[in-house]
Amino acid sequence: MTKTFKFSNKEIVNLFKEVLAAMEVKKFSIFRIRAYQNVIITIEGLTVSVFNLWENNKLDEIPGVGPTLKSHMDELFTTGRVVEFDAIKHDLPQGMFELLGLRGIGAKKAYKLAAAFKLHSREDTLEIIKNAALSHKIQNLDGFGEKSEEQILISLTEMKKTKQEKPRMLLMQAEEIAGRITSYLKNHPEIKDAVVMGSYRRRAPTIGDLDIAIKTTDSQAALNYFLKYPEIEEVVVSGDKRVAVTLSNDIQVDIRVCEDDDFGSMMQYFTGSKNHNIILRTYALEHGCSLSEYGIKKRGELNKFTCEEDFYNFIKLPYIPPEIRHGTKEIELAQKNKLPNLIQITDLKGDLHSHTIASDGLNSFQEMVSEAIKLNYDYFGVSDHAPSIQTKGYDDVAKIIENTRRMIDTFNNSQSKIKVLFGYEVNILADSKISLPDELLKILDYAVASIHSSFNQDKKTLTSRLVAAARHPLINIIGHPSGRLINERESADIDWREFFIAAADNNKIIEINSQPNRLDLTEDLIPDALSRNIRLVINSDAHSTGQLNYIKYGIDAARRSWCGKEDIINTQNFDQIIRILQSSSLR
Ligand code: DGT
Ligand code: CA
Ligand code: CA
Ligand code: ZN
């Protein structure tokens, strides 16, 4: 076989980002730049390895791959480089490419810094920039200031941190990868079931590795079959009852096999969390029982369990839902029979945050509403980003809002399947003002206020923005309050206590945004908000019909933070929701 150069998706993306930056500095045509941007977005979203697809002659399966990109990948994987890319990059100071990973540093700034400090070698670039920032040599450069100098130092620390951490996959990505593996496994006649355990079953927002339990009477056949799974890159552990592998997308998969009669014990053990299992084991020991993945030993005798519920019942506990197996208070509560009745997706009667083609959504009003009807919702809030007065002018914006109001009223009068609520997602601006004036806000049924800019302000300023929105008489819901984007942007530095007090005092509703990379209000803060009697809404923030289903991730987050049906307002019927919206503003 000829030698190949295996680049991971991440390495390929970085390569494209560098070429893109070089193209931007050199002012290539917007069409070429767009094409490269699209390639980056596509590859970043893939859960299969580009190299693997290429090896199997399946690059065509990636949407939008043309002949040019294909020939670049051929060259990259056979020679380890792309001559055209090197040519585009070669006459620029190479240190600029090292700076691209820094938050807030785009192509132009990276180039300016690299030119000013003569950053010709990539190795010492970060050190030179750090020293330059510490000795305040950056703030005097054209286009930089004291603030950006400070930001560079913060970003340098962040970068060091993220380089040390292996990124965890989003739950949604894990579902895609796990779905492929389990449907492969279930094709085998000797495999009766294959269930994903670990953090995946506990529905954590991010997943480190996949843990799969296989139910079979023929362990050897099942494991041999798994080892033929085409995405496997390397076998890390291989034993009688377990294997661990890494896939070509760098994801680790742990497999355990067991028979029917101890599948329940295995599920309990393999679901974790580790802390839950530790506390459960201590509790069981106090009752003369010793737990393992094989069952429960009592007075020297091993009791096996086909189902998990019997396992818990044997040690005199009710079934504990995986989402709350945190290893905190769940076992104590279970002992007292005081586990909450967690919210379920079927409890939801509507969704109050969605986008259409009127702003940045992909589907029309009609398409979004039809999908909401299919989900059996009683009501559906369409909350596009409000049209901007700055770009469109006041009169046009007022006209758009009046027309939309009329359109939605007409729609509601024309059918009885669903009630559409007219909302907007308005911006909480850097100076705490709301992006739409009061008299226009009044035309809506409700308004969601969110921060979409200036996340790097100091804690006091950021907090005062959320507090201002909480006090605003025409705002009902505060959207994705922390602003975090998992693996991309940390939660904003907010004084949560202060914000929650303002929200509680003003009857505001706080959103649990279900976008898989947001899940915001973050689950660690949900119990605190609830203890202050703040009402929460689980919203999809869907930007397409398919994304309306993302609401299940919001349900997961709510269950993980102990929410019952009564804690979430959109489990209420239409009349009640109207009353709640009314009580949250002076509309
Ligand atoms: P992850 O993969 O980082 O998202 O988190 P988990 O919870 O899936 O952790 P993982 O994959 O290391 O282990 C899966 C489950 O297996 C874990 O939740 C409980 C069980 N487990 C693993 N190691 C131990 C251990 O040392 N003791 C006990 N009691 N259980 C363990
Ligand atoms: Ca795991
Ligand atoms: Ca594992
Ligand atoms: Zn938003």
Side-chain angles (χ1 to χ4, degrees):
M1 218 176 105
T2 48
K3 183 171 166 50
T4 55
F5 293 81
K6 189 180 173 243
F7 283 78
S8 70
N9 287 12
K10 200 168 165 62
E11 287 169 322
I12 298 169
V13 164
N14 285 340
L15 191 64
F16 273 92
K17 283 188 175 165
E18 292 184 6
V19 182
L20 180 66
M23 287 164 55
E24 284 177 66
V25 170
K26 293 184 163 183
K27 300 204 163 56
F28 274 50
S29 87
I30 189 72
F31 301 104
R32 279 191 80 182
I33 289 183
R34 286 244 176 83
Y36 276 61
Q37 283 168 336
N38 287 335
V39 169
I40 291 169
I41 292 169
T42 306
I43 298 180
E44 275 179 334
L46 289 178
T47 59
V48 290
S49 128
V50 175
F51 179 81
N52 223 249
L53 290 174
W54 173 81
E55 261 188 331
N56 294 298
N57 232 334
K58 287 184 178 166
L59 273 186
D60 292 329
E61 288 182 8
I62 307 177
V65 165
T68 327
L69 181 66
K70 244 168 119 175
S71 82
H72 285 152
M73 290 299 110
D74 279 340
E75 193 184 344
L76 181 67
F77 295 140
T78 50
T79 69
R81 55 190 286 234
V82 180
V83 173
E84 188 189 328
F85 289 3
D86 292 347
I88 295 175
K89 285 165 60 182
H90 103 276
D91 52 351
L92 294 167
Q94 295 301 298
M96 72 167 272
F97 301 112
E98 208 60 31
L99 297 174
L100 291 173
L102 289 175
R103 192 213 303 263
I105 302 291
K108 289 194 189 101
K109 282 196 171 170
Y111 175 71
K112 265 189 198 163
L113 287 169
F117 296 103
K118 303 196 170 44
L119 304 172
H120 293 295
S121 112
R122 293 181 68 141
E123 282 83 59
D124 32 354
T125 285
L126 294 180
E127 199 55 37
I128 295 176
I129 287 300
K130 187 176 166 190
N131 290 332
L134 287 172
S135 52
H136 305 301
K137 285 183 188 147
I138 292 180
Q139 50 178 274
N140 300 325
L141 295 180
D142 181 33
F144 293 82
E146 241 175 88
K147 265 218 160 134
S148 46
E149 191 173 74
E150 220 172 89
Q151 184 57 39
I152 285 173
L153 282 173
I154 297 171
S155 312
L156 279 168
T157 346
E158 272 175 4
M159 186 190 224
K160 210 165 150 203
K161 219 172 77 195
T162 44
K163 272 201 175 154
Q164 286 160 352
E165 290 165 3
K166 205 179 162 201
R168 297 167 60 84
M169 32 181 170
L170 298 179
L171 182 54
M172 183 175 67
Q173 295 167 324
E175 279 182 332
E176 205 177 308
I177 299 165
R180 287 201 293 269
I181 303 173
T182 51
S183 58
Y184 169 85
L185 287 172
K186 285 174 187 167
N187 272 335
H188 193 276
E190 294 298 330
I191 294 179
K192 289 193 196 154
D193 207 355
V195 183
V196 192
M197 308 281 167
S199 52
Y200 178 98
R201 185 159 177 254
R202 302 195 314 277
R203 309 304 292 165
T206 64
I207 308 298
D209 71 1
L210 292 172
D211 309 287
I212 301 177
I214 297 177
K215 191 199 283 183
T216 178
T217 45
D218 190 343
S219 306
Q220 214 43 57
L223 287 178
N224 285 339
Y225 175 65
F226 171 72
L227 288 172
K228 287 194 221 112
Y229 182 61
E231 286 184 50
I232 293 177
E233 176 79 22
E234 195 189 342
V235 179
V236 186
V237 181
S238 177
D240 284 354
K241 299 273 175 204
R242 60 183 298 183
V243 297
V245 302
T246 48
L247 304 179
S248 51
N249 51 18
D250 220 22
I251 301 300
Q252 179 165 328
V253 183
D254 288 345
I255 299 273
R256 294 291 201 103
V257 287
C258 65
E259 303 211 353
D260 234 341
D261 58 354
D262 46 18
F263 198 65
S265 314
M266 177 60 84
M267 280 183 78
Q268 197 294 314
Y269 168 80
F270 216 13
T271 297
S273 67
K274 215 177 258 180
N275 285 340
H276 173 82
N277 287 358
I278 290 169
I279 298 180
L280 193 69
R281 231 178 295 147
T282 315
Y283 160 86
L285 277 179
E286 285 162 8
H287 294 77
C289 296
S290 126
L291 312 181
S292 75
E293 62 263 55
Y294 308 109
I296 303 177
K297 234 183 200 166
K298 191 171 184 180
R299 294 190 207 95
E301 187 196 339
L302 181 69
N303 301 272
K304 295 185 167 194
F305 300 90
T306 53
C307 91
E308 232 185 359
E309 190 158 1
D310 295 343
F311 186 100
Y312 280 101
N313 291 168
F314 188 88
I315 47 176
K316 302 204 162 47
L317 292 177
Y319 176 75
I320 301 177
E323 293 92 330
I324 51 169
R325 296 185 196 168
H326 300 301
T328 53
K329 57 183 176 180
E330 72 276 8
I331 291 163
E332 198 187 315
L333 289 175
Q335 249 176 295
K336 296 181 190 151
N337 226 335
K338 281 193 174 155
L339 287 178
N341 234 334
L342 300 179
I343 185 173
Q344 293 179 314
I345 192 157
T346 46
D347 292 327
L348 292 181
K349 299 220 164 72
D351 183 344
L352 293 180
H353 189 165
S354 70
H355 296 257
T356 74
I357 46 174
S359 65
D360 55 351
L362 295 179
N363 290 100
S364 66
F365 174 86
Q366 286 291 345
E367 289 165 334
M368 293 299 281
V369 174
S370 304
E371 197 64 26
I373 293 172
K374 280 191 205 143
L375 293 174
N376 252 329
Y377 286 153
D378 294 345
Y379 49 90
F380 182 58
V382 174
S383 59
D384 273 298
H385 295 287
S388 155
I389 291 185
Q390 234 170 10
T391 51
K392 290 198 161 68
Y394 183 92
D395 291 346
D396 277 6
V397 169
K399 220 171 274 160
I400 292 171
I401 295 179
E402 279 154 19
N403 287 340
T404 311
R405 175 80 271 176
R406 222 169 299 132
M407 185 269 288
I408 290 177
D409 289 345
T410 311
F411 177 83
N412 280 331
N413 290 329
S414 73
Q415 52 80 48
S416 56
K417 289 186 186 133
I418 198 162
K419 283 149 199 115
V420 174
L421 290 163
F422 178 21
Y424 270 131
E425 183 178 21
V426 293
N427 296 331
I428 307 171
L429 302 171
D431 61 1
S432 293
K433 290 207 179 76
I434 294 296
S435 60
L436 211 60
D438 288 3
E439 70 275 15
L440 296 181
L441 282 171
K442 271 188 191 149
I443 303 174
L444 314 174
D445 292 319
Y446 71 100
V448 182
S450 318
I451 294 183
H452 287 117
S453 63
S454 307
F455 288 97
N456 52 5
Q457 290 174 327
D458 59 56
K459 185 172 187 167
K460 206 168 151 234
T461 315
L462 279 166
T463 306
S464 67
R465 287 167 79 186
L466 286 183
V467 168
R471 290 189 181 144
H472 194 290
L474 294 166
I475 296 299
N476 305 79
I477 301 172
I478 314 293
H480 49 73
S482 87
R484 80 154 165 189
L485 296 171
I486 297 173
N487 291 338
E488 216 178 304
R489 183 170 68 210
E490 302 265 343
S491 289
D493 195 7
I494 305 284
D495 183 335
W496 291 103
R497 190 175 160 271
E498 203 181 321
F499 167 51
F500 285 160
I501 289 173
D505 284 351
N506 292 280
N507 263 323
K508 290 301 181 236
I509 300 152
I510 297 181
E511 173 180 81
I512 299 176
N513 187 295
S514 306
Q515 290 284 312
N517 67 339
R518 286 195 184 271
L519 297 173
D520 181 10
L521 190 60
T522 56
E523 57 184 45
D524 51 320
L525 292 166
I526 292 173
D528 189 7
L530 287 179
S531 73
R532 297 170 190 274
N533 289 322
I534 292 171
R535 292 170 301 188
L536 302 176
V537 60
I538 300 179
N539 283 334
S540 70
D541 193 4
H543 284 66
S544 65
T545 50
Q547 288 190 4
L548 285 170
N549 293 305
Y550 284 0
I551 203 115
K552 68 177 175 177
Y553 303 113
I555 292 282
D556 291 333
R559 287 172 63 87
R560 283 173 58 82
S561 35
W562 306 85
C563 290
K565 178 181 168 175
E566 64 286 353
D567 296 319
I568 304 296
I569 64 160
N570 48 331
T571 60
Q572 308 268 358
N573 67 28
F574 179 70
D575 292 340
Q576 286 160 325
I577 223 52
I578 291 296
R579 230 170 288 137
I580 292 169
L581 287 176
Q582 276 167 357
S583 72
S584 59
S585 75
L586 298 179
R587 169 163 291 108

